[in-house]
Amino acid sequence: MKVVFCGTPQFAVPTLKRLLTQPDFEIAAVVTQPDRPRGRGMHVSFSPVKEAALAAGVPVHQPEKIRSPEAQEFLQRIAPDCIVIIAYGQIIPARLLPIPKHGWINLHASLLPKYRGAAPINWAIANGEKRTGLTTMQIDAGLDTGPTLLRYETEIGAVETAPQLTARLAEAGAPLIVETLRKLASGEIQPEPQDNSQASFAPLLKKEDGRIDWSLTARIIYNRIRGLQPWPGGFTTFRGKTCRIWGQAHKPVAASGTPGLLLGSEEDGLLVMCGGETVLRVEHVQLEGRNRVTDAQFRSGARIVPGDRFGT
């Protein structure tokens, strides 16, 4: 089977590498986003997918816009049996969809139709889901609305963060794509339409999504902190300065106070009152312009006094 692989971030790399080891697949080309400035120094660098493709000697194509006539001519010239697309980063125009014989096969990091959109892993954790997974699908002109092919399900760990779950799902996606392509070519699976009435959405993350609302319960806040890693993370204010928070829901304590109030002891560490008379244990804090420190270092350096609170 002649395949064009279309993807950009590290999440797509395990699948590309797996396809490259399979003798029944010919990776004719890799399509990825143009080289961009990245990191603190804003140095121009290759995408993880491009690095993997070059290491394997696969031709790389980097159109500024996939909808361009040049990109269309490139794909038509290759005439692939299918195009595998994983977190590429651009919307595929409808006129390109008929080019591959078996369609554009997408690996989406949710159990569709739940969590359509750009950040399914983040929002599944942030919303307190217990299970998630992967779905392979044929893309259509909508946003993750195409017919589905195969699924992989897994539990979300109670303390698992978005980067940790992303890494797990990236590895699980590789064999799922291989199985999907083989069964699609042999006619063993047929695309199934999604039930749109069951759809939910996982929009692109915004900085404000990470602002902690201390009136929520500690469990909800903790889910958001681990789900919105590495960006925007969970953040609040302290004495007028923004600070990022890392922590987890704490065992019940005999304490009361308004949400955001700082509590704690040498035994329990730094605690914050949350909604529903629940408590979040803060493990690390990073004030704007400062390094990340432990809760003990923060308490010592800030000289916490009774009545201090987050969110002010």
Side-chain angles (χ1 to χ4, degrees):
M1 177 183 287
K2 184 188 289 187
V3 176
V4 168
F5 188 91
C6 190
T8 300
Q10 180 61 37
F11 183 76
V13 171
T15 298
L16 173 58
K17 288 184 174 180
R18 178 67 65 91
L19 289 171
L20 287 167
T21 66
Q22 306 303 302
D24 49 336
F25 297 113
E26 173 198 352
I27 308 302
V30 164
V31 178
T32 189
Q33 293 274 50
D35 302 338
R36 308 286 193 198
R38 294 181 174 87
R40 290 187 177 182
M42 295 301 287
H43 299 298
V44 175
S45 60
F46 298 164
S47 74
V49 164
K50 180 177 179 178
E51 290 182 348
L54 292 178
V58 179
V60 175
H61 188 60
Q62 295 178 273
E64 188 67 34
K65 300 293 183 183
I66 193 69
R67 65 173 179 265
S68 69
E70 294 77 15
Q72 181 171 349
E73 292 170 6
F74 172 79
L75 294 174
Q76 289 173 331
R77 186 167 63 252
I78 294 178
D81 295 308
C82 75
I83 299 177
V84 173
I85 179 167
I86 304 175
Y88 171 56
Q90 294 187 35
I91 300 297
I92 307 303
R95 71 176 186 278
L96 300 186
L97 298 182
I99 291 177
K101 174 182 176 181
H102 296 294
W104 294 66
I105 309 304
N106 176 236
L107 178 71
H108 186 75
S110 80
L111 300 175
L112 290 171
K114 293 193 71 173
Y115 294 104
R116 294 172 176 172
I121 295 175
N122 299 95
W123 287 114
I125 296 176
N127 290 340
E129 299 285 355
K130 303 297 184 184
R131 298 186 65 79
T132 189
L134 299 162
T135 305
T136 53
M137 58 173 285
Q138 290 180 328
I139 68 170
D140 61 11
L143 177 63
D144 300 326
T145 56
T148 63
L149 298 164
L150 295 178
R151 289 157 65 98
Y152 163 83
E153 294 191 37
T154 185
E155 290 187 1
I156 299 175
V159 298
E160 195 166 27
T161 64
Q164 291 168 340
L165 180 56
T166 297
R168 277 208 302 123
L169 291 179
E171 294 296 331
L176 187 67
I177 282 285
V178 170
E179 181 183 4
T180 297
L181 297 185
R182 286 176 177 156
K183 288 186 174 180
L184 193 61
S186 65
E188 294 179 63
I189 53 172
Q190 294 297 321
E192 296 185 2
Q194 296 185 41
D195 182 355
N196 293 327
S197 68
Q198 300 299 311
S200 61
F201 295 91
L204 193 68
L205 297 176
K206 307 184 300 297
K207 182 177 181 180
E208 196 61 22
D209 292 326
R211 186 178 297 278
I212 297 173
D213 178 357
W214 296 107
S215 69
L216 300 174
T217 67
R219 172 56 59 178
I220 292 174
I221 292 171
Y222 174 54
N223 288 341
R224 292 183 70 88
I225 288 173
R226 64 193 182 97
L228 301 183
Q229 298 296 329
W231 186 90
F235 67 89
T236 186
T237 53
F238 178 72
R239 296 175 184 169
K241 292 187 176 182
T242 300
C243 59
R244 294 191 66 179
I245 298 292
W246 291 264
Q248 58 182 292
H250 192 61
K251 61 186 179 182
V253 296
S256 62
T258 57
L261 183 67
L262 299 185
L263 310 168
S265 65
E266 292 299 325
E267 179 183 352
D268 292 326
L270 181 62
L271 306 179
V272 191
M273 285 300 305
C274 304
E277 297 186 345
T278 58
V279 175
L280 184 85
R281 187 192 188 287
V282 175
E283 297 174 330
H284 293 90
V285 179
Q286 184 175 16
L287 284 169
E288 58 181 298
R290 304 281 187 85
N291 293 326
R292 171 171 158 167
V293 297
T294 66
D295 63 313
Q297 290 171 322
F298 173 73
R299 281 193 298 159
S300 175
R303 294 186 173 89
I304 301 297
V305 298
D308 272 338
R309 56 189 302 108
F310 282 137
T312 59

